[in-house]
Amino acid sequence: VRPPVAVARPQVLEAHGDRRVDSYYWLRDRHDPEVIAYLEAENAYTEAVMADSAELKESLYREILGRIQETDSSAPVFFRGWWTYTRTVEGLDYEIYCRRRGSMEDAEEVILDGNVLAKGHDYFELGYVERSPDENLIGYAVDYNGSELHELRFRDLRTNTDLPDVVEGVYYGSAWSADSKTFFYVKPDASMRPYQVWRHRLGSSDDVRVFQEDDERFEVGVELCKDERYIFISTASQITSESWMIPSDQPEREPRVIEPRREGIEYSVEHQEDRFLILTNDGARDFRLMAAPASSPGRASWIEVVPERDGVRLNSTDVHRHHVVLSQRSDGMQRLEVLNADTGELHIVPQPDASYTAFPGSNPDYEAHVMRFFYTSLNAPWSAVAYDMDTRERSIVKEQPVRGGYDRRDYVTERLWATAKDGVRVPISLVYRRGLQKNGSNPLLLYGYGAYELSNDPMFDPARLSLLDRGFVYAIAHVRGGGEMGRGWYEQGKFLHKRNTFDDFIACSEHLIAERFTSPERLAIRGRSAGGLLMGAVLNQAPDLFACAVAQVPFVDALTTMLDDKLPLTINEYEEWGNPKDPEYYWYIKSYSPYDNVRETSYPAVLVTAGMNDPRVSYWEPAKWVARLRALARSRGAILLKTQMGSGHSGPSGRYESWREEAFVMAFVLDQLGLDVEAKSGIG
């Protein structure tokens, strides 16, 4: 089977006296029938190459299904007299939103059934489902093509019928007013930047624009605070933020600014009793918690509540009447900390494992002294945990069921440290089946991301067991550019320090090889979006270090994209990557942009995915990259492109198709490593 050949139509791109020749620039025209034909030919080629692995892919898919409780429900949450939860049904793709009045023994009411809404659509995703304060209505936003442009509708839960009100072109972010008659929502501009907040009065077609952000670096959001007294409008760039407030019982009031923006200062706001709580980096690189009277919330009134602490990055707050739950990061782990608002006492929520991830859960009740959080690790299935913030007692509300007799004691987790070329120690999380021999012969899948201060925390995934039971080691490289080790860790992996991200990943790969966990012939790597840029960059730098790579919706044409300010998200990305209209940033981005640095050398096998409707990484970036790899590289394996023609950045929307996609990726890795083997109950 021969791969498709993209016709070379050289396009000269000039900037700062530099001339780049882009032979595949024409693939940007999504309305060109030749472009569609090329993408479909690539899909057919990928299917043909993977045909011999069809049995393996199906076996992996069945294994995934065999571990998942297909008919299941979430841990129910009690609020305002109702128990609410979601549930799934075997054979159906989407969640069903439900509630019961008073007790879980009462009759179930279906609030919203995603399977009913998805009928007749190839793609379906709910942007949000917001219950009104009086519990009689919901506002819900639906995306039918992966573009992240939603249709907003309203449902009367007393009659289980939708109201005639419909709003098109809505983005994420929403809030109800106190009277349950007014709904705030967000709209994006032509570049998919959320920039406006609008107010909709039920029964009216005359929506009112409440707020508009004209600075193209900033994105807008809206939400109702925990005690429901204020609606907060936030506007933020990568390095600066600002918040505005509207009393929820006066929804037609003009928004009032909390503290005017100052370049480089970030803050977020919550409300507790007679004060606002402000989490900010003002005077604190890793953030501190401040308080101000509700009557005068500006910076002049800020008083420190929790100071900045060495090695502790404060990320978010979850406010109750008598407590504040702080989501923080220290020693590279996501932790929870409780502040007693009455006494000022602060304590870490104790956890049973040395290495774990803990996230605040569903805590809608402002009055509660018991909070809910989610707990997981690489070998601990997800748990919903109730924690009494006064007595410090914990109880498991629900643990993720894993079918097939899973025993976490059969799997070992470790934390290793690699040394980067500049001497910085980089953490690696890994998991493998007990009994694994460290002899250099094990297959290993190394995952990486490293951007936007997003942390790639160790979490459980039942699908991963199919690799672990075949003798794989699964590892995460916590490279700079992410948020695992605080704000400084992020700053050392962005702008003119971006290459640290790639050097860190290579250092982690070399360390795992040196520690005899694997070898270059058995080392597979994987990344998504900005992690796909990471994949492309390290393949260019060290192609002989890896046996195969998976790059999903990869941001690989970085320089061309960042030079085009008409594309979605480009301008507000300047504060992450730099503006290449500045020569210093131009030459630096060009030095690592994967598409611009493909070499005439031997590359490993690569599987690349794209989404035709992706508003974040345009489909042509992965398509162009594959075409250039084919034209220049000498590949040691298949170079495959799979484009989802009806979806966006997140891939297939239904859970069964998502599991099939995961089985497909794993089959590619196993095939390229020559490991078409059945899962084992032990290592032998």
Side-chain angles (χ1 to χ4, degrees):
V1 180
R2 294 186 178 276
V5 177
V7 177
R9 297 174 183 164
Q11 172 95 19
V12 176
L13 305 175
E14 296 189 59
H16 307 298
D18 183 42
R19 298 177 79 254
R20 291 181 298 136
V21 178
D22 188 346
S23 296
Y24 308 106
Y25 192 86
W26 64 275
L27 287 172
R28 294 163 59 101
D29 186 359
R30 63 183 298 127
H31 302 294
D32 183 348
E34 192 173 348
V35 171
I36 302 302
Y38 171 71
L39 296 176
E40 290 175 341
E42 286 284 4
N43 282 348
Y45 172 67
T46 296
E47 187 175 343
V49 169
M50 292 295 292
D52 290 343
S53 301
E55 188 175 332
L56 173 61
K57 183 179 74 171
E58 186 63 23
S59 177
L60 290 164
Y61 174 67
R62 292 297 166 192
E63 287 176 23
I64 293 171
L65 286 188
R67 295 189 183 95
I68 291 169
Q69 189 73 40
E70 296 174 68
T71 297
D72 199 8
S73 63
S74 66
V77 175
F78 188 72
F79 187 52
R80 290 201 188 100
W82 293 92
W83 287 97
T84 58
Y85 56 96
T86 61
R87 60 180 176 87
T88 54
V89 176
E90 183 174 350
L92 299 181
D93 270 309
Y94 302 103
E95 288 184 320
I96 303 169
Y97 291 74
C98 306
R99 68 178 183 175
R100 297 173 190 260
R101 185 189 291 275
S103 94
M104 286 298 290
E105 282 67 52
D106 281 359
E108 178 182 89
E109 294 184 21
V110 173
I111 297 172
L112 203 67
D113 187 339
N115 303 285
V116 173
L117 295 174
K119 282 183 179 178
H121 301 279
D122 294 331
Y123 183 93
F124 168 81
E125 199 75 49
L126 280 169
Y128 52 76
V129 179
E130 292 287 351
R131 305 198 314 272
S132 62
D134 64 9
E135 296 290 335
N136 290 328
L137 301 160
I138 57 170
Y140 67 96
V142 183
D143 175 7
Y144 286 120
N145 59 18
S147 66
E148 301 184 40
L149 282 173
H150 300 82
E151 179 183 271
L152 172 61
R153 289 182 173 272
F154 300 90
R155 177 164 296 186
D156 189 326
L157 300 181
R158 295 162 295 189
T159 61
N160 199 31
T161 57
D162 280 358
L163 303 180
D165 309 53
V166 179
V167 185
E168 302 286 352
V170 171
Y171 201 67
Y172 307 103
S174 59
W176 281 100
S177 66
D179 64 2
S180 300
K181 295 179 180 178
T182 303
F183 192 82
F184 293 81
Y185 62 90
V186 176
K187 276 193 169 185
D189 62 13
S191 296
M192 285 301 292
R193 177 181 67 94
Y195 80 122
Q196 292 176 336
V197 174
W198 287 72
R199 186 177 69 234
H200 175 78
R201 186 75 173 173
L202 293 179
S204 170
S205 59
D206 298 323
D207 289 7
V208 177
R209 187 180 69 196
V210 176
F211 183 88
Q212 178 167 313
E213 176 57 74
D214 294 321
D215 190 327
E216 293 181 286
R217 299 173 301 159
F218 285 70
E219 295 187 354
V220 168
V222 64
E223 64 178 348
L224 184 65
C225 69
K226 174 71 71 69
D227 67 7
E228 300 187 344
R229 290 178 59 184
Y230 292 95
I231 292 161
F232 289 126
I233 296 172
S234 62
T235 178
S237 72
Q238 298 289 342
I239 62 171
T240 305
S241 62
E242 180 181 74
S243 293
W244 299 66
M245 62 178 178
I246 300 171
S248 64
D249 60 354
Q250 302 174 62
E252 296 186 4
R253 282 268 299 268
E254 290 294 316
R256 172 187 169 197
V257 70
I258 300 285
E259 168 64 21
R261 71 187 68 173
R262 287 174 290 142
E263 189 75 9
I265 299 300
E266 300 170 65
Y267 73 92
S268 59
V269 183
E270 254 291 1
H271 184 257
Q272 185 187 54
E273 297 305 283
D274 59 353
R275 66 179 183 173
F276 288 110
L277 292 173
I278 300 113
L279 192 65
T280 182
N281 69 339
D282 188 2
R285 186 185 197 184
D286 277 325
F287 288 70
R288 57 179 175 161
L289 184 66
M290 313 293 283
S295 58
S296 57
R299 182 173 178 265
S301 302
W302 291 4
I303 299 172
E304 187 173 81
V305 177
V306 178
E308 181 183 27
R309 291 162 290 169
D310 187 38
V312 178
R313 167 68 159 96
L314 293 180
N315 290 314
S316 63
T317 60
D318 182 22
V319 174
H320 299 257
R321 179 187 289 274
H322 298 290
H323 302 88
V324 181
V325 181
L326 299 170
S327 179
Q328 57 114 303
R329 186 169 296 280
S330 52
D331 298 324
M333 287 190 293
Q334 179 77 22
R335 291 189 165 109
L336 297 175
E337 200 169 15
V338 174
L339 171 69
N340 186 309
D342 300 323
T343 67
E345 184 182 5
L346 196 64
H347 73 270
I348 293 280
V349 177
Q351 306 292 1
D353 297 310
S355 178
Y356 62 87
T357 299
F359 292 103
S362 177
N363 297 300
D365 189 353
Y366 172 72
E367 303 290 340
H369 62 90
V370 176
M371 65 109 160
R372 182 80 60 84
F373 68 88
F374 295 115
Y375 179 86
T376 187
S377 74
L378 285 173
N379 68 345
W382 287 84
S383 295
V385 182
Y387 181 76
D388 190 309
M389 293 180 282
D390 290 324
T391 67
R392 306 190 187 184
E393 295 177 352
R394 61 184 283 148
S395 59
I396 304 264
V397 180
K398 180 179 176 62
E399 183 175 85
Q400 174 188 11
V402 183
R403 296 167 58 197
Y406 174 75
D407 187 340
R408 63 172 294 190
R409 293 171 297 183
D410 292 336
Y411 302 87
V412 178
T413 63
E414 285 192 50
R415 172 66 66 94
L416 303 179
W417 295 84
T419 302
K421 63 191 298 184
D422 61 357
V424 171
R425 297 176 74 237
V426 183
I428 309 169
S429 297
L430 65 162
V431 61
Y432 51 86
R433 194 171 177 97
R434 192 175 298 279
L436 182 106
Q437 300 298 311
K438 299 175 186 177
N439 56 18
S441 67
N442 305 301
L444 188 148
L445 179 60
L446 179 62
Y447 191 91
Y449 186 75
Y452 303 106
E453 204 176 0
L454 297 176
S455 299
N456 199 3
D457 291 303
M459 303 177 194
F460 184 78
D461 181 0
R464 190 183 301 136
L465 298 176
S466 288
L467 295 180
L468 302 184
D469 289 350
R470 286 174 169 81
F472 267 77
V473 178
Y474 177 81
I476 303 169
H478 300 289
V479 295
R480 281 175 282 183
E484 287 90 340
M485 304 286 283
R487 174 52 63 92
W489 196 252
Y490 167 52
E491 292 174 343
Q492 292 172 41
K494 66 179 294 190
F495 287 146
L496 300 174
H497 304 292
K498 187 63 203 170
R499 296 185 69 94
N500 285 335
T501 304
F502 319 135
D503 293 340
D504 287 357
F505 191 87
I506 289 172
C508 291
S509 303
E510 292 173 338
H511 185 73
L512 290 165
I513 292 168
E515 291 295 309
R516 307 278 290 162
F517 279 100
T518 191
S519 65
E521 295 76 25
R522 290 294 181 94
L523 176 55
I525 59 175
R526 184 176 182 180
R528 185 182 190 90
S529 193
L533 180 147
L534 171 61
M535 296 300 101
V538 300
L539 288 178
N540 287 334
Q541 286 183 225
D544 294 333
L545 193 58
F546 315 107
C548 68
V550 178
Q552 295 172 277
V553 290
F555 176 46
V556 283
D557 194 15
L559 184 58
T560 303
T561 292
M562 293 305 297
L563 282 166
D564 189 346
D565 58 15
K566 299 297 188 293
L567 290 176
L569 306 179
T570 291
I571 291 176
N572 58 342
E573 295 279 298
Y574 288 160
E575 292 181 350
E576 176 71 22
W577 312 97
N579 185 351
K581 293 177 183 177
D582 178 333
E584 185 177 24
Y585 282 107
Y586 175 90
W587 292 107
Y588 189 79
I589 296 172
K590 185 181 179 182
S591 76
Y592 67 73
S593 176
Y595 181 69
D596 293 285
N597 288 279
V598 174
R599 297 189 285 140
E600 294 184 35
T601 190
S602 176
Y603 280 75
V606 186
L607 170 63
V608 185
T609 69
M612 192 65 187
N613 299 325
D614 191 340
R616 298 176 184 269
V617 177
S618 299
Y619 73 88
W620 63 72
E621 293 201 37
K624 288 169 57 180
W625 184 45
V626 165
R628 192 161 196 168
L629 281 169
R630 292 245 186 83
L632 293 179
R634 300 189 305 277
S635 177
R636 303 192 300 273
I639 297 177
L640 304 179
L641 173 64
K642 182 177 183 180
T643 303
Q644 299 284 346
M645 302 302 287
S647 67
H649 196 62
S650 300
S653 60
R655 59 179 183 151
Y656 288 93
E657 281 305 307
S658 295
W659 293 330
R660 284 198 178 277
E661 184 76 0
E662 186 61 21
F664 174 82
V665 170
M666 289 194 291
F668 170 81
V669 171
L670 286 163
D671 183 57
Q672 295 304 318
L673 297 183
L675 295 170
D676 185 356
V677 294
E678 293 299 316
K680 300 175 182 179
S681 59
I683 302 299

